[in-house]
Amino acid sequence: MRNITVSVDEETHRRARVRAAELDTSVSALVREFLRRLAPGDRRQGRLESPPLESALERRRRLFEEVFTDFDARGVGLHMADNLPRAALHDRSAIGSEADPARRPDTGG
């Protein structure tokens, strides 16, 4: 096994130690796993050890799909009939009267 020396600022080191403790592991194990995912596969053995890291876009897509899969499983849907009409969305008089009691029509303000 090879050793790698990495220099990080104090805050990064502190946060890494806290996260490692939360996961009941070491900072070295976190770095080792990160590097395995960064460069997946053991070409000598012809097998992959860990899936590659997903990009931010891939992660957002995966999370988006998970949310909608969950919606489908629970029977929650997004229906056009549930949307507010355009006039209700832009009814500033209703918003203003809620914010300022003096402007309410029933108070004469």
Side-chain angles (χ1 to χ4, degrees), residues 19-72:
R19 184 64 177 145
E22 290 171 354
L23 296 172
D24 195 28
T25 190
S26 66
V27 173
S28 291
L30 291 177
V31 172
R32 184 171 39 253
E33 183 60 24
F34 172 78
L35 292 174
R36 280 186 185 145
R37 288 176 178 249
L38 184 64
D42 183 350
R43 289 184 172 76
R44 292 171 295 165
Q45 300 296 323
R47 61 187 163 93
L48 294 177
E49 293 180 0
S50 301
L53 289 176
E54 61 188 351
S55 70
L57 177 60
E58 291 167 335
R59 181 175 183 273
R60 284 192 298 268
R61 284 184 177 155
R62 179 180 53 80
L63 293 173
F64 181 80
E65 290 299 321
E66 288 176 12
V67 166
F68 280 96
T69 300
D70 182 55
F71 280 7
D72 290 341

Coordinates of all heavy atoms in Angstrom, one line a residue, residues 19-72:
R19 N -17.0 14.5 9.7 CA -17.7 13.7 8.8 C -17.3 12.2 9.0 O -18.1 11.3 9.0 CB -17.6 14.2 7.4 CG -18.4 13.4 6.4 CD -19.9 13.6 6.7 NE -20.6 12.9 5.7 CZ -21.8 12.3 5.9 NH1 -22.4 12.4 7.1 NH2 -22.4 11.7 4.9
A20 N -16.0 12.0 9.1 CA -15.5 10.6 9.2 C -16.0 10.0 10.5 O -16.5 8.9 10.5 CB -14.0 10.6 9.2
A21 N -16.1 10.8 11.6 CA -16.6 10.3 12.9 C -18.1 10.0 12.7 O -18.6 9.0 13.2 CB -16.4 11.3 14.0
E22 N -18.8 10.8 12.0 CA -20.3 10.5 11.8 C -20.5 9.2 11.0 O -21.4 8.5 11.3 CB -20.9 11.7 10.9 CG -21.0 13.0 11.7 CD -21.5 14.1 10.8 OE1 -21.6 14.0 9.5 OE2 -21.7 15.2 11.3
L23 N -19.5 8.9 10.1 CA -19.6 7.7 9.3 C -18.9 6.5 10.0 O -18.8 5.4 9.4 CB -19.1 7.9 7.9 CG -19.8 8.9 7.1 CD1 -19.1 9.3 5.8 CD2 -21.2 8.5 6.8
D24 N -18.4 6.7 11.2 CA -17.6 5.7 11.9 C -16.5 5.1 11.1 O -16.3 3.9 11.0 CB -18.6 4.6 12.4 CG -17.9 3.7 13.5 OD1 -17.1 4.2 14.2 OD2 -18.3 2.5 13.5
T25 N -15.7 6.1 10.5 CA -14.5 5.7 9.7 C -13.4 6.7 10.0 O -13.5 7.5 10.9 CB -14.9 5.6 8.2 OG1 -13.9 4.9 7.5 CG2 -15.3 6.9 7.6
S26 N -12.4 6.6 9.1 CA -11.3 7.6 9.3 C -11.2 8.5 8.1 O -11.8 8.2 7.0 CB -10.0 6.8 9.4 OG -9.7 6.1 8.1
V27 N -10.5 9.6 8.2 CA -10.3 10.5 7.1 C -9.6 9.7 6.0 O -9.9 9.9 4.8 CB -9.6 11.8 7.5 CG1 -9.2 12.6 6.3 CG2 -10.4 12.6 8.5
S28 N -8.6 8.9 6.3 CA -7.9 8.2 5.3 C -8.8 7.3 4.5 O -8.7 7.1 3.3 CB -6.8 7.3 6.0 OG -5.8 8.2 6.5
A29 N -9.7 6.6 5.2 CA -10.7 5.7 4.5 C -11.6 6.5 3.6 O -11.9 6.1 2.5 CB -11.5 5.0 5.5
L30 N -12.0 7.7 4.0 CA -12.8 8.6 3.1 C -12.0 9.0 1.9 O -12.6 8.9 0.8 CB -13.2 9.9 3.9 CG -14.2 9.7 5.0 CD1 -14.5 11.1 5.7 CD2 -15.5 9.1 4.5
V31 N -10.8 9.4 2.0 CA -9.9 9.7 0.9 C -9.7 8.5 0.0 O -9.8 8.6 -1.2 CB -8.6 10.4 1.3 CG1 -7.6 10.6 0.2 CG2 -8.8 11.7 2.1
R32 N -9.4 7.4 0.6 CA -9.2 6.2 -0.2 C -10.4 5.8 -1.0 O -10.3 5.5 -2.2 CB -8.9 5.0 0.8 CG -8.5 3.7 0.1 CD -8.0 2.6 1.0 NE -8.6 2.6 2.3 CZ -8.0 3.0 3.5 NH1 -6.8 3.5 3.5 NH2 -8.7 2.9 4.6
E33 N -11.6 5.9 -0.4 CA -12.8 5.6 -1.2 C -13.1 6.6 -2.3 O -13.5 6.3 -3.4 CB -14.0 5.6 -0.2 CG -15.3 5.2 -0.9 CD -15.3 3.8 -1.6 OE1 -14.5 2.9 -1.2 OE2 -16.1 3.6 -2.5
F34 N -12.8 7.9 -2.0 CA -13.0 9.0 -3.0 C -12.1 8.6 -4.2 O -12.5 8.7 -5.3 CB -12.6 10.3 -2.4 CG -12.5 11.4 -3.5 CD1 -13.7 12.0 -4.0 CD2 -11.3 11.8 -3.9 CE1 -13.6 12.9 -5.0 CE2 -11.2 12.8 -4.9 CZ -12.4 13.4 -5.4
L35 N -10.8 8.3 -3.9 CA -9.9 8.0 -5.0 C -10.3 6.7 -5.8 O -10.1 6.7 -7.0 CB -8.4 7.9 -4.5 CG -7.9 9.2 -4.0 CD1 -6.5 8.9 -3.3 CD2 -7.8 10.2 -5.0
R36 N -10.8 5.7 -5.1 CA -11.3 4.5 -5.8 C -12.4 4.9 -6.7 O -12.5 4.4 -7.8 CB -11.8 3.5 -4.8 CG -10.7 2.7 -4.2 CD -11.3 1.6 -3.3 NE -10.2 0.9 -2.6 CZ -10.3 0.5 -1.4 NH1 -11.4 0.6 -0.7 NH2 -9.2 -0.1 -0.8
R37 N -13.3 5.8 -6.3 CA -14.5 6.1 -7.1 C -14.0 7.1 -8.3 O -14.6 7.1 -9.3 CB -15.6 6.8 -6.3 CG -16.3 5.8 -5.4 CD -17.3 6.6 -4.5 NE -18.0 5.6 -3.7 CZ -19.3 5.4 -3.9 NH1 -20.0 6.0 -4.8 NH2 -19.9 4.5 -3.1
L38 N -13.0 7.9 -8.0 CA -12.5 8.8 -9.0 C -11.9 8.0 -10.2 O -12.1 8.4 -11.3 CB -11.5 9.7 -8.4 CG -10.9 10.8 -9.3 CD1 -12.0 11.8 -9.7 CD2 -9.8 11.6 -8.5
A39 N -11.2 6.9 -9.9 CA -10.5 6.1 -10.9 C -10.9 4.7 -10.7 O -10.2 3.9 -10.1 CB -9.0 6.3 -10.8
P40 N -12.2 4.3 -11.1 CA -12.7 3.0 -10.8 C -12.0 1.9 -11.6 O -11.4 2.1 -12.6 CB -14.1 3.1 -11.3 CG -14.1 4.1 -12.4 CD -13.1 5.1 -12.0
G41 N -12.1 0.7 -11.0 CA -11.6 -0.5 -11.7 C -10.2 -0.9 -11.4 O -9.3 -0.1 -11.1
D42 N -10.1 -2.2 -11.3 CA -8.8 -2.8 -11.2 C -8.5 -3.6 -12.5 O -9.0 -4.7 -12.7 CB -8.8 -3.8 -10.0 CG -7.5 -4.4 -9.7 OD1 -6.6 -4.3 -10.5 OD2 -7.4 -5.1 -8.7
R43 N -7.8 -2.9 -13.4 CA -7.6 -3.4 -14.7 C -6.8 -4.7 -14.7 O -7.0 -5.6 -15.6 CB -7.0 -2.4 -15.6 CG -7.9 -1.3 -15.9 CD -7.3 -0.2 -16.8 NE -8.3 0.7 -17.3 CZ -8.7 1.7 -16.6 NH1 -8.3 1.9 -15.3 NH2 -9.6 2.6 -17.1
R44 N -6.0 -4.9 -13.7 CA -5.2 -6.2 -13.6 C -6.1 -7.4 -13.4 O -5.9 -8.4 -13.9 CB -4.2 -6.1 -12.5 CG -3.1 -5.1 -12.8 CD -2.2 -4.9 -11.6 NE -3.1 -4.3 -10.5 CZ -2.7 -4.2 -9.3 NH1 -1.6 -4.7 -8.8 NH2 -3.5 -3.6 -8.4
Q45 N -7.2 -7.2 -12.6 CA -8.1 -8.2 -12.3 C -9.3 -8.3 -13.2 O -10.1 -9.2 -13.2 CB -8.6 -8.1 -10.8 CG -7.5 -8.2 -9.8 CD -6.8 -9.5 -9.8 OE1 -7.5 -10.5 -10.0 NE2 -5.5 -9.5 -9.6
G46 N -9.5 -7.2 -14.0 CA -10.6 -7.1 -15.0 C -11.9 -6.9 -14.3 O -12.9 -7.3 -14.8
R47 N -11.9 -6.2 -13.2 CA -13.2 -6.0 -12.5 C -13.2 -4.6 -12.0 O -12.2 -3.9 -11.7 CB -13.4 -7.0 -11.3 CG -12.3 -6.9 -10.3 CD -12.5 -8.0 -9.2 NE -11.3 -8.2 -8.4 CZ -11.1 -7.5 -7.3 NH1 -12.0 -6.7 -6.8 NH2 -10.0 -7.7 -6.6
L48 N -14.4 -4.1 -11.8 CA -14.6 -2.7 -11.2 C -14.8 -2.8 -9.7 O -15.6 -3.7 -9.2 CB -15.8 -2.0 -11.8 CG -15.7 -1.7 -13.3 CD1 -17.0 -1.1 -13.8 CD2 -14.6 -0.8 -13.6
E49 N -14.2 -2.0 -9.0 CA -14.3 -2.0 -7.5 C -15.5 -1.1 -7.0 O -16.2 -1.5 -6.1 CB -13.0 -1.5 -6.8 CG -11.9 -2.5 -7.0 CD -10.6 -2.0 -6.4 OE1 -10.6 -0.9 -5.8 OE2 -9.6 -2.7 -6.4
S50 N -15.6 0.1 -7.6 CA -16.6 1.0 -7.2 C -17.2 1.8 -8.4 O -16.5 1.9 -9.4 CB -16.0 2.1 -6.2 OG -15.4 1.5 -5.1
P51 N -18.4 2.2 -8.3 CA -18.9 2.9 -9.4 C -18.2 4.3 -9.5 O -17.8 4.8 -8.5 CB -20.4 3.1 -9.1 CG -20.5 2.9 -7.6 CD -19.4 2.0 -7.2
P52 N -18.1 4.9 -10.7 CA -17.5 6.2 -10.8 C -18.3 7.2 -10.1 O -19.5 7.1 -10.0 CB -17.3 6.4 -12.3 CG -18.4 5.5 -12.9 CD -18.5 4.4 -12.0
L53 N -17.7 8.3 -9.7 CA -18.4 9.5 -9.2 C -19.3 10.0 -10.2 O -19.0 10.2 -11.4 CB -17.4 10.6 -8.7 CG -16.6 10.2 -7.5 CD1 -15.6 11.4 -7.2 CD2 -17.5 10.0 -6.3
E54 N -20.5 10.4 -9.8 CA -21.5 11.0 -10.8 C -21.3 12.5 -10.8 O -20.9 13.1 -9.8 CB -22.9 10.6 -10.4 CG -23.3 11.1 -9.0 CD -24.7 10.6 -8.6 OE1 -25.4 10.0 -9.4 OE2 -25.1 10.8 -7.5
S55 N -21.5 13.1 -12.0 CA -21.4 14.5 -12.1 C -22.5 15.2 -11.4 O -23.5 14.5 -11.0 CB -21.4 14.9 -13.6 OG -22.7 14.7 -14.1
A56 N -22.4 16.5 -11.2 CA -23.5 17.2 -10.6 C -24.8 17.1 -11.4 O -25.9 16.9 -10.8 CB -23.1 18.7 -10.4
L57 N -24.7 17.2 -12.7 CA -25.9 17.0 -13.5 C -26.5 15.6 -13.4 O -27.7 15.5 -13.2 CB -25.5 17.3 -15.0 CG -26.7 17.1 -16.0 CD1 -27.8 18.1 -15.7 CD2 -26.2 17.4 -17.4
E58 N -25.6 14.6 -13.4 CA -26.1 13.2 -13.2 C -26.8 13.1 -11.9 O -27.9 12.4 -11.8 CB -25.0 12.2 -13.4 CG -24.5 12.1 -14.8 CD -23.2 11.4 -14.9 OE1 -22.4 11.3 -13.8 OE2 -22.9 10.9 -15.9
R59 N -26.2 13.7 -10.8 CA -26.8 13.6 -9.5 C -28.2 14.2 -9.5 O -29.1 13.7 -8.9 CB -25.9 14.2 -8.5 CG -26.4 14.1 -7.1 CD -25.4 14.7 -6.1 NE -25.9 14.6 -4.7 CZ -26.7 15.5 -4.1 NH1 -27.0 16.6 -4.7 NH2 -27.1 15.3 -2.9
R60 N -28.3 15.5 -10.0 CA -29.6 16.2 -10.1 C -30.6 15.3 -10.8 O -31.8 15.2 -10.4 CB -29.4 17.5 -10.7 CG -28.8 18.5 -9.8 CD -28.9 20.0 -10.3 NE -28.2 20.1 -11.6 CZ -27.0 20.6 -11.7 NH1 -26.3 20.8 -10.7 NH2 -26.5 20.7 -12.9
R61 N -30.2 14.8 -12.0 CA -31.2 13.9 -12.7 C -31.6 12.7 -11.9 O -32.8 12.4 -11.9 CB -30.5 13.5 -14.0 CG -30.5 14.6 -15.1 CD -29.9 14.0 -16.4 NE -29.9 15.1 -17.3 CZ -29.1 15.1 -18.4 NH1 -28.3 14.2 -18.6 NH2 -29.2 16.1 -19.2
R62 N -30.7 12.1 -11.2 CA -31.0 10.9 -10.4 C -32.0 11.3 -9.3 O -33.0 10.6 -9.1 CB -29.8 10.3 -9.8 CG -30.0 9.0 -9.0 CD -28.8 8.4 -8.4 NE -27.9 9.4 -7.7 CZ -28.1 9.8 -6.4 NH1 -29.1 9.4 -5.8 NH2 -27.3 10.7 -5.9
L63 N -31.7 12.4 -8.6 CA -32.6 12.8 -7.5 C -34.0 13.2 -8.1 O -35.0 12.9 -7.4 CB -32.0 14.0 -6.8 CG -30.7 13.7 -6.0 CD1 -30.1 14.9 -5.4 CD2 -31.0 12.7 -4.9
F64 N -34.0 13.9 -9.2 CA -35.3 14.2 -9.8 C -36.1 13.0 -10.1 O -37.3 12.9 -9.8 CB -35.0 15.0 -11.1 CG -36.2 15.4 -11.9 CD1 -36.9 16.6 -11.5 CD2 -36.6 14.7 -13.0 CE1 -38.0 17.0 -12.2 CE2 -37.7 15.1 -13.7 CZ -38.4 16.3 -13.3
E65 N -35.4 11.9 -10.7 CA -36.1 10.7 -11.0 C -36.6 10.0 -9.7 O -37.7 9.4 -9.7 CB -35.2 9.8 -11.8 CG -35.0 10.2 -13.2 CD -36.3 10.3 -14.0 OE1 -37.1 9.4 -13.9 OE2 -36.4 11.3 -14.8
E66 N -35.8 10.0 -8.6 CA -36.2 9.4 -7.4 C -37.4 10.1 -6.8 O -38.4 9.5 -6.3 CB -35.1 9.5 -6.4 CG -33.9 8.6 -6.6 CD -32.8 8.7 -5.7 OE1 -32.9 9.4 -4.6 OE2 -31.7 8.2 -5.9
V67 N -37.5 11.4 -6.9 CA -38.7 12.2 -6.4 C -39.9 11.8 -7.1 O -41.0 11.5 -6.5 CB -38.4 13.7 -6.5 CG1 -39.7 14.5 -6.2 CG2 -37.4 14.1 -5.4
F68 N -39.8 11.8 -8.5 CA -41.0 11.4 -9.2 C -41.4 10.0 -9.1 O -42.6 9.6 -9.2 CB -40.9 11.9 -10.7 CG -41.2 13.4 -10.8 CD1 -40.1 14.3 -10.8 CD2 -42.5 13.9 -10.8 CE1 -40.4 15.7 -10.8 CE2 -42.7 15.2 -10.9 CZ -41.7 16.1 -10.9
T69 N -40.4 9.1 -9.0 CA -40.8 7.7 -8.7 C -41.5 7.5 -7.4 O -42.5 6.8 -7.3 CB -39.5 6.8 -8.7 OG1 -38.8 7.0 -10.0 CG2 -39.8 5.4 -8.4
D70 N -41.1 8.3 -6.4 CA -41.7 8.3 -5.1 C -43.1 8.9 -5.2 O -44.1 8.3 -4.6 CB -40.9 9.1 -4.1 CG -41.5 9.1 -2.7 OD1 -41.8 8.0 -2.1 OD2 -41.8 10.2 -2.2
F71 N -43.3 9.9 -6.0 CA -44.6 10.5 -6.2 C -45.6 9.4 -6.8 O -46.7 9.3 -6.4 CB -44.6 11.7 -7.2 CG -44.2 13.0 -6.5 CD1 -43.7 13.1 -5.2 CD2 -44.2 14.2 -7.3 CE1 -43.3 14.3 -4.7 CE2 -43.8 15.4 -6.7 CZ -43.4 15.4 -5.4
D72 N -45.1 8.8 -7.8 CA -45.9 7.7 -8.5 C -46.2 6.6 -7.5 O -47.4 6.1 -7.5 CB -45.1 7.2 -9.7 CG -45.0 8.1 -10.8 OD1 -45.8 9.1 -10.9 OD2 -44.1 7.9 -11.7

